Amino acid sequence: MNSTRAMLKPKDTLKTVRLSHSINDEEIKYVTLRKTLIKKWLKDQGINCELEDVPNIALLGSGGGERAAVGMLGSLHQLAQDNLLGSLLYMCGVSGTTWCMSSLYSDPALSKERCDEMIKKLKDSTVDLSKAVEWLKLRKAQNQDFNLTDFWGAFTASYFMKEMHTRCLSEDANTKPYPIYSAIDLDCHRQDDTKGVWFEMTPYESGFSGLGAFIPTSCLGSQFEGGTLREKRKEMDMVLLQGICGSAFADKQVNNAYVVKKIWSLFGDPPVLSSAGSDPGHESMRLEFESTGKVEVRECVPSQVVRCVSVLIMYAEDPDPLKTREVITTLGQLLNGLVSSKGEMLWNMDSERWKRTSLEERKKFIETVSLELILTSDSWAKDWKDKRYDHANEGMSTELRNTTDKMSFTISQFPDGLWIVKNIFPLVQTWEWGTTSNFLFKLQDTNVPSSMASKEKIHLVDAGLKMNSPYPPVLRPSREVDLIISLDFSEGDPFETVFSAKKYARQQKVPFPPVKESVRDEKDRPQGCYVFEGRRPEEPTIMHMPLFNLQNCKGEEEIKKEREKYTTLHQHYDEPEFEHLLKKAKDNMRNNRYRILVQIIMAIQRRKNRKSVVRWPVSVV
């Protein structure tokens, strides 16, 4: 057995797949403990009730990349400031909001101070990707299913969240709101299989919400066969969890240029430019280009290719073509004869033609070249050496060799360059995401579809591809959720998540409150909060809060501008943008504080009414 995998312990061999729609015993105990604290919180607000009448309240955060992460952080900061966090039993996230959750939950108290600490860290523009590469190396050595999700998790943690949390989800079982992270099975999503698609991950248990099939979270990724644990593997950490939950690019390669750009960023800032301006090496390259129209190669080819592509990407949005024309020429010389297909564009693109191209044409060209060079890295990266380029066999004079040697760059500028090229670049070609062992493999049970039991591996990816808000886990009847506070950070229609949840509830035959189609008429000018009341005790009430609305924006035109400014694929926010978005999220929670308290009181009554209900037919929604 591989030494990186844990040996089976006697108690592990007893761990089997649990097939049930009920919540597990550990969560039941957790809920009881947490509700004891909520009861105390209610009393502090002047609201007295019995423990059995304490309402089950779930906070949901939608997806939306960095916009969702910042929006969730601002919302939780305001809830903490308004002393409302104490009311929550569950906290659930999808995509970008899980990035925020995974960082916040590193604090046992989930305090306002932890929110302040995160805000300060996220405002810092400094990004250190060296830790991401270190994590990737370790992950690659430990796991045979290494894929793009590993890269995306490391990148997300270091680039967006500025923290590499290596604790495990099973360590987050304490007295905070019970965290639920969501993903989907990619194959089920493509087959439109509603029952098998949604996958929830909690501190105690992870599995398929609709199927009612679960295993201990500490065993997620381990090998099961026939429902029994066969080989225990190391539990995933929060870095990988962020990669799984935020992998919206997994379904199709429509946004591969975005992922490719982030992979190139692993090499760090291009060494051609220093903080003080052009360094001597870059200046000599520019002067030689101006005088001869050519640039002599003075370092090993792979190193200089990486340096040139990094510069191109850095200046892709710059309207001045002169900043990149010598780099284009250099790439052409370096790759002539090494790269075929689309790479031929490089040596056919002369400097005069480059100056005449539009900004959009140059951006597309750089995207194409950066992708092509990843796909063809075997041809140009095979001579990568951990030393300076050897000029001895070039027939140069001693004087010329001495001159060029002084101006050359060492490979130490890219200490992990060869490893990145050999281990990360190939992942783009396979485009494989979220690969993990399927714990339903060869499990024979009438509740497990044969299509699920036949797969040794599954692919867990961003749940936002199916539904951009984590409704399925809290719609499980066994969780008896009375009030859902839905924070919508979606880029498009702010009501799409509600109607997707409504459709899911109908398909799964679980209770859901009525939501009128007419509310869609307000998608371009939404209010700050909508209350969709449950008609019967088993139907939850939903408080739905769009991020940009008529209460925190001055009219429809401002809402439109905010949405256009904070797109999902927006590059990293600068400090003013970050502060502005944070304030919008805080304002929305502050504006609805009283309405939340009113709904909490109503949820207590709904909880009391549940006790008198013997059995209610599932409502048609």
Side-chain angles (χ1 to χ4, degrees), residues 193 195-196 211 440 443 445-454:
D193 177 359
K195 189 172 285 289
L211 286 176
L440 296 179
L443 178 59
D445 190 279
T446 55
N447 294 312
V448 179
S450 58
S451 59
M452 297 287 287
S454 64

Side-chain angles (χ1 to χ4, degrees), residues 41-48:
W41 177 87
L42 288 168
K43 185 176 181 180
D44 291 342
Q45 313 308 308
I47 305 171
N48 292 301

